[in-house]
Amino acid sequence: MRPVPCSRDMDFGQSNLFGYIEDLQELTIIERPVRRSLKTPEEIERLTVDEELNDIERALYLLSSGQDVQGTSVVANLPVLMRQNPAETLRRVLPKIREVLHVAGVEMQLTAAVSFLTVLQDESVSIHTYSHSFLHIILQNVEHRDAGVSNAWLETLLAVIEALPKETIRHEILNPLVSKAQISQTLQSRLVSCKIMGKLANKFEVHIVKREILPLVKSLCQDAEYEVRTCMCRQLEHIAQGIGTELTKTVVLPELVELARDEGSSVRLAAFETLVNLLDMFDSDDRRQTVLPLVKTFCEKSFKADESILVSLSFHLGKLCNGLYGIFTPEQHLRFLEFYKKLCTLGLQQENGHNDNQLQLQTLEQEKKYISVRKNCAYNFPAMIVFVDPKNFHLELYSIFFCLCHDPEVPVRYTMAISFYEVAKLLNSGVYTIQKELVTLLQDESLEVLDALVGHLPEILELMINGGESSGSENKLLSVPDLISALTTAEQRAATSLKWRTHEKLLQKYACLPQIISSDQIYYRFLHRMLTIILTNNVLPVQKAAARTLCVYLRYNRKQEQRHEVIQKLIEQLGQGKSYWNRLRFLDTCEFIMELFSKSFFCKYFFLPVLELTHDPVANVRIKLCYLLPKVKSVLKIPTDKHLLQQLELCIRKLLCQEKDKDVLTIVKRTVLELDRMDISLDAFQKRFYENDLLDQEKERQEHLLLEMEQLEKEKQQNEGRSANVNDKIFEKKRRDNKTSSVLAKSLTLSACGSSSGTSTGKEDKKSKLVRSQSFSTQALHPKYGNIDKCSNKSSATGYTSSLSGMGKSCMLSFSDDSFRTRSTGNSGNATFSSSSSLTASRNSFNSADQKNNGNKECQSRKMSM
């Protein structure tokens, strides 16, 4: 339809007027279906059913004289009728449904197939009654002319076969199957026979299958229609599982070999996939002599003439390579690896300046096929790591891994993101080699890729930090800044998108960061960001995820000043915020704090701010607070928190007396009854609170350890400052000594030149003593002498470190490192000072010895120079 021009540009000439009339006619045509959809009184009368009819009578009436949509609703309601009144339904309703299905449309047929299957699963009647009443209707409709209806009834029949007894299957299904599978039957009938035989092979003994089913299988494998051969080829896997290894080798394998050379590409594809799925049933000789040559032929033809098998080959290549691993020669191993590498870059060669002519000839269908091939290669990448051995990953597969992670198509990168965790697990200590690719996928432009990667992000980061300790610890430490930048970028991109579920998932997974990076990095790069999300985001699940992650960060923060700052912001900006929405989020945050922190921590910082919300002007805030009060009371301990309990009771009394909102007052009364039934734990252990008290004591102990760690860090900084002052003094003294030594050396040289009794040997002696003296004074500053006192304090430091076994992993590691570093640094400062002073005294003793041993003229000149 042409756009209607603005009024100022309208031209009411004859030609334009006809155009406007046509547009108006189009509008009337659009409105006509709306008018036709209205029901006339006669149609409404025909759709009206007497309300006094019971369910059975109503179903019969609708099936007899109702419209198709009403009959379909009756068929859909058949499982309910069977549960309510099975006898009457079987006697009166089911025969009517059977009668109607002969002329029913596609929708009613599909609904009936589903309803019959539901009746079987509900077990409303015995299996004997079901087979007597329903099986004949199913068998009649299996060969329906519509392919979709036929497949629906066939799925129902295959499910029924699982539940039927053998005799019923033999008489009702197997015996008619012999005639249905003949070449004279229709194509649809023979296709149905193929699928039924695949199901029957597991229902009978081997000798019955060999005598009655296998001849039909061979006949259908040689059918004139390629659709039948393809269908039967795919059923050979189920038949092989039913007849065992020996018959599979003698009967099924020859048929597969013949079908693998079939003229139809779909038949060859089915034969290849069946061979791959049956690899475990073939011995090494069959794999070497039969399967391997066929697979090599498939690989060669896939690039030359038969591209239809290429997608399937790329999907099964990992399973194929590992299944044939034991029979590969080194040359064949390398050939299959190169074939996999070629598939990984299929369709990308032109980007490097190759195949420019092919680029013009490539169709859209080929491009889709190449994308599917590379996606399948990404899916098989963990299997190929096993194939080449993780030790050879960097040499053999890293370049391919890089290409797949940077592939221009999103499905390929998405698959790599899903399998990234499996790759990291397989690499183990060599996981540091793929850190750059992790950063790349975190910064990917597609949020689908980020969502796929985030699923196992905590496990991946833990492997990145701890997996490469043996060989890549330096690389691990160097990659952390890039990782932090990538994590912050990923969160910001998720926040600006409309996919809030990805953002929520990301924030939940970021709770693992205290085990990965330092407390300061979390504080400056992530903690304040979480608070901003709580204050500004409009999606409730995202706000709650950010609140919980913020509480985790606060839980593992190691600086009391930072913790107090965050607590103050939570109380002021959330608990006392202007928006009632922020005050609701404050209550959510308090729930997370009660979950993660000790009872004493919550009572110290958040108990009274929570109670202040009993005076909140918004009823929703007071309602949410009332629901939270039982949890708040559960954190109290008597007699320590007796004053807080009194405050709680006072607030509840005020609510009961002053509350005017009816909904809030109802919830307050209900909460009071619940609070009265609650028991408060005592400071001493009680059996009923034993586990909770143990957990709370563990949390409280960890919080005290955080304070002690902070104190030790302050001591460490003070000791470092002292050692720095001592080193400055030593350096100044060394500078003066060096200056004195240089003046002394000059005077010795002058006196030696002026003295006739001095010899060259005496000069060398004096120079060597001076050099040795200077070298000793320099060694006094070497840090290895600072370990003298470290050994004496080793036992005490170790004992203190063992007390941290209850802390989280990151806290444990960082604290143990810092504690040792603190003690060793402080002791090294003292050791350096003492050793430098002693070595200075030894230097003076060397000088006095020289004065005794040298001549009087030298002594006089030395005194003059001093």
Side-chain angles (χ1 to χ4, degrees):
M1 191 172 101
R2 292 184 297 274
V4 178
C6 299
S7 58
R8 65 185 181 186
D9 298 329
M10 281 189 177
D11 181 11
F12 291 98
Q14 188 174 4
S15 59
N16 288 332
L17 186 59
F18 283 117
Y20 301 145
I21 292 173
E22 291 176 0
D23 293 338
L24 292 174
Q25 287 177 348
E26 290 181 10
L27 289 174
T28 58
I29 292 172
I30 293 173
E31 291 180 355
R32 279 175 193 168
V34 178
R35 293 173 185 169
R36 288 175 181 172
S37 66
L38 299 176
K39 301 297 181 183
T40 63
E42 292 80 8
E43 291 173 333
I44 294 174
E45 182 65 27
R46 284 201 306 269
L47 292 171
T48 304
V49 182
D50 189 0
E51 296 181 359
E52 296 181 359
L53 296 176
N54 60 29
D55 292 339
I56 301 295
E57 295 294 338
R58 186 184 296 108
L60 291 172
Y61 173 77
L62 293 176
L63 288 171
S64 301
S65 58
Q67 295 188 359
D68 289 343
V69 65
Q70 292 175 317
T72 303
S73 70
V74 172
V75 174
N77 199 43
L78 180 63
V80 179
L81 294 175
M82 287 295 299
R83 286 192 291 267
Q84 292 175 352
N85 195 346
E88 285 296 308
T89 304
L90 291 175
R91 188 174 67 86
R92 301 179 64 186
V93 179
L94 190 61
K96 194 64 180 177
I97 291 177
R98 180 176 184 175
E99 185 181 315
V100 171
L101 284 176
H102 284 292
V103 292
V106 173
E107 186 177 357
M108 187 180 290
Q109 288 277 355
L110 295 174
T111 306
V114 175
S115 294
F116 280 28
L117 181 58
T118 306
V119 171
L120 174 69
Q121 294 170 346
D122 289 347
E123 299 180 356
S124 304
V125 293
S126 64
I127 191 63
H128 177 74
T129 305
Y130 185 91
S131 61
H132 178 73
S133 303
F134 291 87
L135 185 58
H136 291 286
I137 304 175
I138 296 172
L139 291 172
Q140 285 177 359
N141 293 281
V142 160
E143 297 181 21
H144 196 275
R145 60 183 178 275
D146 186 272
V149 173
S150 177
N151 288 331
W153 282 110
L154 180 60
E155 291 299 323
T156 302
L157 177 60
L158 296 178
V160 171
I161 289 174
E162 289 289 337
L164 291 176
K166 290 183 181 180
E167 288 303 317
T168 304
I169 296 174
R170 189 181 185 87
H171 292 293
E172 301 293 339
I173 299 175
L174 183 57
N175 291 338
L177 191 66
V178 177
S179 60
K180 296 289 184 182
Q182 299 302 320
I183 192 67
S184 58
Q185 295 293 322
T186 62
L187 175 63
Q188 182 68 21
S189 177
R190 302 203 302 275
L191 290 174
V192 169
S193 300
C194 292
K195 295 178 181 178
I196 293 176
M197 275 189 284
K199 178 65 70 173
L200 294 181
N202 293 314
K203 295 295 293 184
F204 293 100
E205 291 78 7
V206 176
H207 66 277
I208 297 177
V209 175
K210 184 178 180 180
R211 185 178 69 247
E212 299 187 16
I213 295 180
L214 286 184
L216 297 176
V217 170
K218 291 182 179 180
S219 174
L220 291 170
C221 284
Q222 299 172 1
D223 195 275
E225 298 292 338
Y226 75 91
E227 294 101 327
V228 179
R229 299 196 302 273
T230 302
C231 184
M232 194 66 251
C233 186
R234 295 194 181 279
Q235 298 302 317
L236 288 178
E237 178 184 352
H238 306 293
I239 293 171
Q241 294 171 356
I243 63 179
T245 306
E246 292 299 325
L247 280 177
T248 299
K249 184 177 180 179
T250 56
V251 178
V252 175
L253 185 57
E255 294 294 334
L256 279 175
V257 172
E258 186 175 351
L259 291 169
R261 300 176 180 138
D262 196 274
E263 59 184 6
S265 60
S266 62
V267 182
R268 295 196 299 271
L269 178 61
F272 169 75
E273 293 179 351
T274 306
L275 270 174
V276 175
N277 293 331
L278 291 177
L279 272 178
D280 295 337
M281 300 190 69
F282 302 137
D283 56 24
S284 58
D285 292 335
D286 291 332
R287 296 180 189 180
R288 183 179 295 105
Q289 298 172 6
T290 306
V291 179
L292 184 57
L294 285 175
V295 172
K296 289 171 64 178
T297 304
F298 287 136
C299 295
E300 292 170 359
K301 288 184 177 181
S302 61
F303 281 105
K304 295 179 181 178
D306 191 7
E307 289 188 348
S308 61
I309 203 173
L310 199 59
V311 177
S312 178
L313 182 61
S314 62
F315 181 76
H316 291 94
L317 192 60
K319 184 177 181 180
L320 191 64
C321 288
N322 286 282
L324 298 175
Y325 181 80
I327 65 171
F328 278 151
T329 62
E331 182 183 356
Q332 291 170 340
H333 187 283
L334 183 60
R335 185 180 302 172
F336 273 86
L337 180 59
E338 292 299 323
F339 179 73
Y340 172 76
K341 292 180 179 179
K342 189 175 182 181
L343 291 180
C344 289
T345 57
L346 188 64
L348 301 178
Q349 292 88 346
Q350 63 272 7
E351 294 185 4
N352 297 325
H354 302 293
N355 300 334
D356 292 335
N357 296 329
Q358 289 184 5
L359 179 61
Q360 299 175 359
L361 298 176
Q362 278 181 359
T363 63
L364 182 62
E365 199 64 31
Q366 282 179 322
E367 290 179 4
K368 291 181 179 179
K369 189 180 297 182
Y370 292 158
I371 293 171
S372 298
V373 168
R374 299 201 302 274
K375 178 183 176 182
N376 291 337
C377 289
Y379 167 78
N380 280 301
F381 196 86
M384 297 307 295
I385 292 179
V386 177
F387 181 64
V388 302
D389 196 314
K391 297 178 181 177
N392 302 322
F393 167 77
H394 194 274
L395 182 64
E396 299 287 350
L397 289 177
Y398 177 73
S399 58
I400 296 299
F401 183 77
F402 178 86
C403 291
L404 291 174
C405 289
H406 291 80
D407 195 275
E409 299 299 330
V410 172
V412 182
R413 303 197 304 274
Y414 175 84
T415 309
M416 287 304 297
I418 290 178
S419 60
F420 199 95
Y421 176 53
E422 295 297 326
V423 173
K425 282 198 301 185
L426 288 170
L427 293 180
N428 198 5
S429 61
V431 71
Y432 65 92
T433 57
I434 60 172
Q435 287 173 341
K436 293 181 179 179
E437 284 66 37
L438 174 63
V439 172
T440 299
L441 292 176
L442 282 171
Q443 296 174 334
D444 196 275
E445 60 184 8
S446 172
L447 278 179
E448 295 178 6
V449 177
L450 178 61
D451 187 77
L453 186 67
V454 163
H456 289 287
L457 186 62
E459 295 87 350
I460 293 171
L461 292 177
E462 186 177 359
L463 286 170
M464 287 290 176
I465 298 300
N466 301 325
E469 288 180 353
S470 59
S471 56
S473 56
E474 295 181 0
N475 295 336
K476 172 189 69 177
L477 295 175
L478 289 174
S479 68
V480 169
D482 296 335
L483 179 62
I484 293 174
S485 176
L487 290 171
T488 54
T489 303
E491 188 277 321
Q492 290 169 0
R493 288 188 57 255
T496 55
S497 71
L498 297 177
K499 297 182 179 180
W500 63 265
R501 287 181 177 85
T502 300
H503 193 200
E504 177 196 12
K505 185 178 178 182
L506 193 69
L507 295 176
Q508 291 171 348
K509 298 299 181 181
Y510 276 14
C512 72
L513 292 183
Q515 300 180 9
I516 310 299
I517 57 180
S518 69
S519 176
D520 283 338
Q521 288 171 324
I522 289 176
Y523 177 77
Y524 291 110
R525 301 299 295 272
F526 296 98
L527 196 148
H528 292 285
R529 174 61 183 165
M530 297 300 155
L531 185 60
T532 303
I533 293 171
I534 300 172
L535 291 169
T536 60
N537 199 281
N538 296 324
V539 182
L540 179 59
V542 172
Q543 287 181 311
K544 287 189 174 182
R548 193 183 192 286
T549 303
L550 182 141
C551 293
V552 174
Y553 293 165
L554 182 64
R555 171 71 179 81
Y556 291 104
N557 189 279
R558 295 177 56 186
K559 292 186 177 179
Q560 190 173 5
E561 183 180 352
Q562 295 176 357
R563 289 196 298 274
H564 286 171
E565 179 189 348
V566 175
I567 292 169
Q568 185 177 0
K569 286 185 177 181
L570 287 175
I571 295 172
E572 292 177 356
Q573 299 182 19
L574 289 180
Q576 300 170 2
K578 294 181 180 180
S579 171
Y580 85 97
W581 191 256
N582 289 341
R583 300 196 295 275
L584 288 174
R585 299 294 74 77
F586 176 71
L587 294 177
D588 290 332
T589 307
C590 287
E591 285 193 70
F592 296 133
I593 288 173
M594 284 187 280
E595 173 191 346
L596 296 170
F597 289 83
S598 65
K599 296 178 180 179
S600 60
F601 181 89
F602 179 82
C603 292
K604 181 178 180 180
Y605 296 107
F606 292 96
F607 192 92
L608 294 178
V610 167
L611 292 186
E612 288 177 4
L613 293 178
T614 54
H615 307 291
D616 197 276
V618 179
N620 285 346
V621 178
R622 301 197 300 275
I623 288 175
K624 189 174 183 66
L625 174 63
C626 291
Y627 283 121
L628 189 63
L629 285 179
K631 287 186 178 180
V632 172
K633 184 178 179 181
S634 67
V635 303
L636 297 176
K637 289 184 179 181
I638 299 299
T640 306
D641 301 323
K642 188 175 180 180
H643 64 291
L644 296 178
L645 180 60
Q646 293 173 353
Q647 292 287 335
L648 176 62
E649 293 173 349
L650 180 62
C651 291
I652 294 173
R653 288 195 195 98
K654 288 182 179 179
L655 280 173
L656 285 172
C657 299
Q658 301 174 3
E659 184 59 53
K660 298 179 181 179
D661 190 283
K662 294 181 180 179
D663 296 331
V664 180
L665 188 60
T666 303
I667 297 171
V668 169
K669 292 178 180 178
R670 191 186 311 161
T671 304
V672 168
L673 294 176
E674 186 176 353
L675 291 173
D676 289 340
R677 289 194 298 266
M678 285 182 61
D679 294 328
I680 301 178
S681 62
L682 303 176
D683 285 341
F685 268 17
Q686 295 172 284
K687 289 184 179 179
R688 53 186 169 179
F689 301 117
Y690 183 76
E691 292 183 1
N692 292 334
D693 287 342
L694 278 179
L695 183 61
D696 183 67
Q697 279 201 355
E698 181 64 23
K699 292 178 182 177
E700 193 170 348
R701 188 178 67 85
Q702 293 172 7
E703 291 162 6
H704 286 310
L705 284 176
L706 283 173
L707 296 175
E708 294 178 8
M709 289 159 58
E710 184 181 5
Q711 185 63 30
L712 283 175
E713 287 181 356
K714 290 180 180 178
E715 293 178 2
K716 167 190 168 182
Q717 293 173 0
Q718 292 175 0
N719 291 335
E720 287 177 350
R722 292 172 185 172
S723 61
N725 293 335
V726 171
N727 288 335
D728 291 342
K729 293 179 181 178
I730 293 173
F731 178 76
E732 183 63 26
K733 189 170 184 179
K734 175 188 171 184
R735 189 179 62 81
R736 291 198 305 267
D737 291 343
N738 288 339
K739 186 175 181 181
T740 304
S741 301
S742 60
V743 173
L744 180 61
K746 288 180 182 179
S747 62
L748 287 174
T749 306
L750 293 174
S751 61
C753 294
S755 173
S756 58
S757 62
T759 60
S760 63
T761 307
K763 293 178 184 178
E764 293 300 326
D765 259 348
K766 296 163 191 170
K767 286 182 180 180
S768 65
K769 289 178 183 179
L770 286 171
V771 170
R772 189 162 60 249
S773 173
Q774 292 177 6
S775 67
F776 283 146
S777 63
T778 306
Q779 286 177 2
L781 297 174
H782 199 277
K784 72 179 182 180
Y785 291 98
N787 294 328
I788 298 172
D789 294 335
K790 181 191 266 189
C791 299
S792 62
N793 293 330
K794 185 176 181 181
S795 59
S796 60
T798 307
Y800 189 75
T801 307
S802 63
S803 67
L804 299 175
S805 58
M807 291 295 293
K809 191 171 185 181
S810 63
C811 294
M812 177 65 189
L813 291 174
S814 57
F815 174 66
S816 59
D817 294 344
D818 291 343
S819 62
F820 281 117
R821 199 177 299 118
T822 302
R823 295 171 182 268
S824 63
T825 308
N827 294 332
S828 63
N830 299 332
T832 305
F833 181 79
S834 59
S835 58
S836 61
S837 58
S838 61
L839 290 173
T840 306
S842 65
R843 186 183 58 217
N844 294 333
S845 66
F846 285 138
N847 291 336
S848 62
D850 290 338
Q851 291 173 0
K852 292 179 180 179
N853 295 329
N854 291 332
N856 293 330
K857 188 178 284 188
E858 282 182 310
C859 291
Q860 291 175 1
S861 62
R862 198 173 298 149
K863 288 178 182 179
M864 290 173 63
S865 65
M866 291 293 288

